[in-house]
């Protein structure tokens, strides 16, 4: 396997396809780099070098007990891009991966970054607080924790429905796609999956987003049942100076898979702009 080693000896698996300007992908919870295959094949076939890693504790990477929080996720990403000497990169993050990209820029700057894309991202903050009244209550995330701890396998099977919008009337979501979500989730480490719930729900990325100084595209489905657009993209777009917000009517959280043709074309257009 192709891996890099972090400062705490965690092995981070990555795939590196194609050649050209690098595009670095950060995946969502509880998935792996495989969630980006549709985008990577499309873009690598069109002159881009596509790199995606399995976050620590996920997929084929090591499952350390600690470090399952955003600062370490961002530092792991920095180790990866430095080890591969990636420069002038377009960073693309989905869901939790959007938070990872934001924290990476917040902690490491944009000296190696040309552009950024946040898709269905958890930024700026998912949790409802006094300062963030539009967020989701802690009970929502406690419910996710209870579901994972109670029966992780069944919880992932059930979660794949709203994730891809399969629970909507007239939805055309294959069982195979839902099975892929379950498989990727079950490859993730139990401790990492539980810890990451806190990371994606309670981390405040407000100050990270204010540090963005590269062209940024924010993409979000307005029927996202996992990361509601009102508590995320609509706020993030106001924090990232000069960003472009692209809303997708009726599309779900997992739109990179359910509507990959549309998303791929829009990504390519932004990358070429």
């Amino acid at each position: 396997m192709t891996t890099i080693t972090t400062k705490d000896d965690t092995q981070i698996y990555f795939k590196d396809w194609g050649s050209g300007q690098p595009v670095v992908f950060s995946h969502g919870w509880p998935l792996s780099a495989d969630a980006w295959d549709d985008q990577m094949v499309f873009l690598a076939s069109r002159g881009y070098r596509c790199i995606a890693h399995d976050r620590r504790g996920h997929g084929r990477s090591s499952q350390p007990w600690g470090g399952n929080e955003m600062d370490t996720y961002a530092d792991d990403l920095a180790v990866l891009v430095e080890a591969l000497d990636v420069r002038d990169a377009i960073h693309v993050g989905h869901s939790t991966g959007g938070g990872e990209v934001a924290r990476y820029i917040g902690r490491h700057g944009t000296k190696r970054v040309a552009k950024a894309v946040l898709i269905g991202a958890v930024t700026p903050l998912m949790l409802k607080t006094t300062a963030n009244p539009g967020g989701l209550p802690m009970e929502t995330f406690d419910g996710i924790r209870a579901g994972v701890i109670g029966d992780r396998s069944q919880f992932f099977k059930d979660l794949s429905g709203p994730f891809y919008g399969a629970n909507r009337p007239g939805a055309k979501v294959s069982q195979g796609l839902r099975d892929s979500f379950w498989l990727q989730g079950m490859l993730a480490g139990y401790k990492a999956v539980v810890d990451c719930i806190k990371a994606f729900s309670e981390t405040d990325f407000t100050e990270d987003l204010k540090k963005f100084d590269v062209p940024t595209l924010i993409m979000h489905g307005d029927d996202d049942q996992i990361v509601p657009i009102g508590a995320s993209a609509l706020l993030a777009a106001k924090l990232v100076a000069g960003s472009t917000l692209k809303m997708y009517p009726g599309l779900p959280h997992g739109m990179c898979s359910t509507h990959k043709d549309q998303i791929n074309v829009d990504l390519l257009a932004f990358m070429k702009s």
Side-chain angles (χ1 to χ4, degrees), residues 262-273:
Q262 184 176 359
I263 300 303
N264 289 349
V265 168
D266 289 347
L267 280 175
L268 182 61
F270 175 68
M271 291 172 184
K272 287 185 171 182
S273 65

Side-chain angles (χ1 to χ4, degrees), residues 4-12 56 62-64 76:
I4 54 99
T5 303
T6 69
K7 61 185 178 182
D8 66 350
D9 291 327
T10 296
Q11 299 292 308
I12 301 294
R56 65 168 52 216
S62 300
Q63 298 183 9
D76 289 348

Side-chain angles (χ1 to χ4, degrees), residues 164-210:
Y164 296 115
N167 57 341
R168 296 307 198 207
K172 296 179 180 179
V173 179
S174 73
Q175 187 61 48
L177 180 58
R178 296 185 63 174
D179 289 347
S180 177
F181 179 94
W182 173 84
L183 177 61
Q184 290 178 63
M186 292 305 293
L187 286 172
Y190 191 17
K191 176 68 159 52
V193 165
V194 174
D195 286 356
C196 192
I197 298 167
K198 179 180 178 66
F200 73 64
S201 64
E202 298 182 37
T203 305
D204 189 342
F205 301 99
T206 300
E207 296 305 314
D208 302 298
L209 294 175
K210 291 178 180 178

Side-chain angles (χ1 to χ4, degrees), residues 71-88:
D71 285 355
T72 304
Y73 293 160
D75 292 350
D76 289 348
L77 179 56
V79 171
L80 175 68
V81 299
E82 289 165 12
L84 298 180
D85 195 26
V86 171
R87 301 177 186 275
D88 193 35

Side-chain angles (χ1 to χ4, degrees), residues 28 33 62 119 135 143 155-156 178 188 192 198 207 211 223 227 237 270:
S62 300
I119 306 176
F155 181 80
F156 288 156
R178 296 185 63 174
K198 179 180 178 66
E207 296 305 314
K211 294 179 181 178
D223 192 32
V227 181
F270 175 68

Side-chain angles (χ1 to χ4, degrees), residues 48-173:
Y48 290 88
R49 178 188 179 189
C50 294
I51 301 165
H53 66 291
D54 291 352
R55 185 173 299 116
R56 65 168 52 216
H58 295 67
R60 292 140 292 201
S61 291
S62 300
Q63 298 183 9
W65 184 257
N68 302 305
E69 34 72 27
M70 282 293 169
D71 285 355
T72 304
Y73 293 160
D75 292 350
D76 289 348
L77 179 56
V79 171
L80 175 68
V81 299
E82 289 165 12
L84 298 180
D85 195 26
V86 171
R87 301 177 186 275
D88 193 35
I90 302 165
H91 279 265
V92 183
H94 174 247
S95 196
T96 299
E100 180 177 285
V101 169
R103 183 52 52 91
Y104 167 73
I105 289 176
R107 284 173 70 83
H108 299 277
T110 56
K111 61 183 180 293
R112 293 176 177 267
V113 182
K115 295 180 180 181
V117 184
L118 304 177
I119 306 176
V122 296
T123 52
L125 172 62
M126 287 197 71
L127 182 66
K128 181 178 182 179
T129 64
T130 302
N132 186 47
L136 299 173
M138 180 62 80
E139 290 77 15
T140 298
F141 305 110
D142 286 342
I144 295 173
R145 267 183 283 270
V148 169
I149 293 170
D151 188 340
R152 177 174 44 146
S153 181
Q154 188 60 50
F155 181 80
F156 288 156
K157 284 182 179 289
D158 295 340
L159 183 63
S160 69
F163 191 96
Y164 296 115
N167 57 341
R168 296 307 198 207
K172 296 179 180 179
V173 179

